[in-house]
Amino acid sequence: MPLAFAATCLAACKNYKATTAEANIKLPDTFTGSTDTASIAKLPVKQFFTDQYLVNLIDSALGANPDILTALQRVEVARANVRFNASKLLPQINATANAGVEKYGDYTQNGVGNYDTNFSPNINDKQRIPDPVPNYFLGFQTSWEVDLWGKLSSQKKAAYARFLASQSGYRLVITSLTAQIAQSYYQLLAFDTELKIIKKNIALQEKALEIIRIQKLGGRATELAVQQFKAQLLRTKSLEYLTRQQITETENELNFLTGNFDKPINRDTSINSSALPAVLSAGVPSQLLLNRPDVQAAELELAAMNADIKTARRSFLPSLTLTPYVGYNAFKSSLLFDPGSLTWGVLGGLTAPIFNRKALKADLQRTIAESKVAVYNYQKTILAGFQEVSNGLNGIDNYNKFYQLKQDELKSLNNALSVANDLYLVGRANYLEIITAQQSVLNAELDLANTKRNIYLSAVGLYKAVGGGWR
């Protein structure tokens, strides 16, 4: 038997090889060639966003959003799991009270032994064994698995890494929620601006329709011109209701994100009045590892999986379990608390897996495969972070240049509309040129508002991409 046990231990040790999953990924040194390590990721929300209405919305969401509250409970679950795994390193002590009765057969070892004992001159009346034999026990029983190989410690390390990952997950929810609220808020401001532009153009087109009707009465315009101007006005009015619906949907989305039903969304109704930091610096790619919560969570999950691999490998090794007990034991309830009924003992045993080794190997292979998934997820998260930062930086630059050109375009279109009106009055331009010029101005003004919105959305996206928003 000792040789068999030793052979089992040696076989188990063959499966105990040091194995870890590592993510060998090298980040570029810079995003766009700049080596400046200053990053907006370190700016708190109240410093990055200067619009107090927006800051109030974010503060409200942090205390009422269901995703935030759910993430907090995930942290509590992970915290409890750490305590649970830490408790496995300590003895499990149970208070025990047992009562039972047993009738031994006349032709059994206990039956014959008890019968002979009752005739022994060496026992007194208290020590005579009744038939059937009651059994009473009151005391403490303990079971303690000694962490010989560090299996339980590895379980605790995995639980602690997942607890830290849950905290990063909570910060990730804050970051995502902050960006989502800011993007919806700036979208709402853009819709407000669009609505103002549409209303302004409706007033201008109504005036133009009135003029063309007067000209028709004077014989200077036809019914065709009247209908063309009327159709243009109706199209612009339809845009007003479409924009109003978009405003309603965006307000409802913000109410949902902030945990409200139908609360008015206070805001500055001009997208041009808000201001972001003058310098939107991203820092260097290596800072993503320190600032982005999703990267931190993926890295911690990888560490937890490596601890799981150690646990699975150490499951092949023998385990030592101690089971001490102490208490009162007697076959008569009246004698249970007699000093002579005090009993104690300890049993220690080594157990090694034999017939369940296939199950342990399967669990090890599963854990190794899951660790590789964690590696690929870590790599994917870093790649996605780098791409998001690059998109944000280029988006801000390109949309700003686009906005400047759109401003020049709008200026030219307004000049063209003014010239078209003058030419029309002297009969050198027709009504279609007026309609075309008016429509071009309207479209350019709407494009300008949308471009301003895209600049803000890119800035918010960059803030999220570099890991800002949770501080």
Side-chain angles (χ1 to χ4, degrees):
M1 286 298 292
L3 291 177
F5 187 79
T8 302
C9 293
L10 289 174
C13 290
K14 290 181 180 179
N15 293 282
Y16 182 63
K17 294 180 181 179
T19 300
T20 56
E22 297 180 357
N24 296 318
I25 184 169
K26 179 175 174 56
L27 281 166
D29 294 329
T30 66
F31 288 111
T32 57
S34 172
T35 58
D36 185 7
T37 57
S39 174
I40 55 175
K42 297 181 179 179
L43 291 178
V45 170
K46 293 181 180 180
Q47 290 186 23
F48 184 80
F49 298 112
T50 57
D51 191 324
Q52 189 58 46
Y53 293 119
L54 173 56
V55 173
N56 291 340
L57 284 173
I58 295 172
D59 287 342
S60 176
L62 294 181
N65 182 269
D67 290 334
I68 288 288
L69 300 178
T70 300
L72 274 175
Q73 293 310 307
R74 289 198 185 102
V75 173
E76 293 304 314
V77 170
R79 191 194 309 273
N81 194 41
V82 172
R83 292 196 296 266
F84 173 75
N85 282 277
S87 68
K88 292 182 179 180
L89 293 165
L90 302 174
Q92 308 300 309
I93 302 175
N94 298 309
T96 305
N98 291 331
V101 64
E102 189 167 2
K103 174 68 174 68
Y104 297 110
D106 292 341
Y107 306 106
T108 62
Q109 181 179 1
N110 286 331
V112 173
N114 291 345
Y115 180 82
D116 285 343
T117 299
N118 285 338
F119 288 101
S120 173
N122 296 323
I123 63 173
N124 56 41
D125 291 339
K126 290 182 178 181
Q127 294 174 319
R128 296 190 183 280
I129 303 172
D131 185 23
V133 183
N135 186 55
Y136 303 96
F137 177 84
L138 182 63
F140 300 94
Q141 293 180 338
T142 303
S143 178
W144 181 29
E145 181 180 351
V146 182
D147 195 23
L148 287 177
W149 318 107
K151 180 182 71 173
L152 301 179
S153 296
S154 295
Q155 291 178 345
K156 179 184 175 182
K157 289 178 182 177
Y160 185 68
R162 290 191 170 96
F163 165 65
L164 296 179
S166 70
Q167 290 183 321
S168 294
Y170 172 66
R171 291 194 288 268
L172 176 60
V173 174
I174 294 177
T175 297
S176 300
L177 181 63
T178 298
Q180 198 172 357
I181 290 174
Q183 289 169 345
S184 296
Y185 181 78
Y186 288 126
Q187 181 71 70
L188 185 58
L189 295 188
F191 286 143
D192 287 339
T193 302
E194 287 182 23
L195 187 59
K196 288 181 180 179
I197 294 171
I198 291 170
K199 286 182 175 181
K200 181 192 72 173
N201 279 269
I202 287 175
L204 293 175
Q205 290 172 13
E206 286 176 339
K207 184 176 180 180
L209 178 60
E210 182 182 352
I211 292 173
I212 204 71
R213 281 173 172 166
I214 294 173
Q215 289 180 338
K216 179 195 170 187
L217 294 175
R220 295 184 55 196
T222 64
E223 179 64 20
L224 177 61
V226 173
Q227 293 302 319
Q228 291 279 15
F229 274 91
K230 183 179 179 181
Q232 182 191 40
L233 175 60
L234 292 173
R235 178 186 179 278
T236 306
K237 284 185 174 181
S238 68
L239 289 178
E240 177 184 357
Y241 291 102
L242 177 62
T243 304
R244 288 186 182 277
Q245 178 61 25
Q246 291 172 323
I247 289 174
T248 299
E249 291 177 359
T250 308
E251 287 178 330
N252 288 336
E253 181 181 3
L254 284 170
N255 272 315
F256 171 76
L257 293 174
T258 54
N260 296 306
F261 285 97
D262 193 21
K263 185 178 179 180
I265 304 299
N266 297 321
R267 60 193 184 269
D268 188 333
T269 55
S270 173
I271 196 172
N272 298 316
S273 61
S274 295
L276 292 172
V279 180
L280 294 170
S281 54
V284 293
S286 61
Q287 291 175 322
L288 292 179
L289 306 180
L290 301 175
N291 293 323
R292 278 185 66 116
D294 56 345
V295 173
Q296 295 171 2
E299 185 177 6
L300 289 165
E301 180 59 29
L302 180 57
M305 291 307 307
N306 282 327
D308 286 341
I309 292 175
K310 292 180 180 179
T311 299
R313 288 195 174 278
R314 289 166 183 173
S315 296
F316 289 91
L317 299 173
S319 59
L320 171 62
T321 303
L322 302 178
T323 53
Y325 66 90
V326 62
Y328 292 97
N329 190 203
F331 50 67
K332 291 182 180 179
S333 59
S334 60
L335 300 175
L336 183 60
F337 295 105
D338 189 281
S341 297
L342 180 65
T343 181
W344 61 269
V346 61
L347 178 66
L350 278 173
T351 57
I354 297 179
F355 294 110
N356 61 335
R357 291 174 60 79
K358 287 186 177 180
L360 294 176
K361 287 182 180 178
D363 183 62
L364 175 60
Q365 291 169 353
R366 175 191 60 79
T367 306
I368 292 175
E370 288 180 347
S371 70
K372 291 180 180 179
V373 172
V375 169
Y376 301 142
N377 182 58
Y378 180 63
Q379 293 174 340
K380 177 183 175 182
T381 304
I382 293 177
L383 288 170
F386 184 87
Q387 181 188 39
E388 289 171 7
V389 174
S390 179
N391 288 342
L393 287 171
N394 286 286
I396 293 170
D397 183 52
N398 290 327
Y399 281 125
N400 271 313
K401 292 177 180 177
F402 184 79
Y403 185 78
Q404 293 172 2
L405 292 174
K406 274 293 178 182
Q407 284 181 312
D408 294 338
E409 177 189 355
L410 179 59
K411 183 178 180 180
S412 297
L413 289 172
N414 278 320
N415 291 335
L417 177 60
S418 178
V419 171
N421 285 324
D422 293 341
L423 293 175
Y424 181 76
L425 292 175
V426 297
R428 297 181 61 186
N430 59 47
Y431 67 90
L432 290 177
E433 291 175 303
I434 299 294
I435 293 175
T436 301
Q438 289 178 340
Q439 190 62 45
S440 296
V441 169
L442 173 60
N443 292 336
E445 288 179 331
L446 294 177
D447 286 342
L448 199 63
N450 287 327
T451 304
K452 191 68 173 180
R453 175 205 61 192
N454 290 335
I455 293 173
Y456 280 97
L457 296 187
S458 295
V460 173
L462 178 63
Y463 186 48
K464 175 188 175 184
V466 297
W470 59 267
R471 287 179 170 84

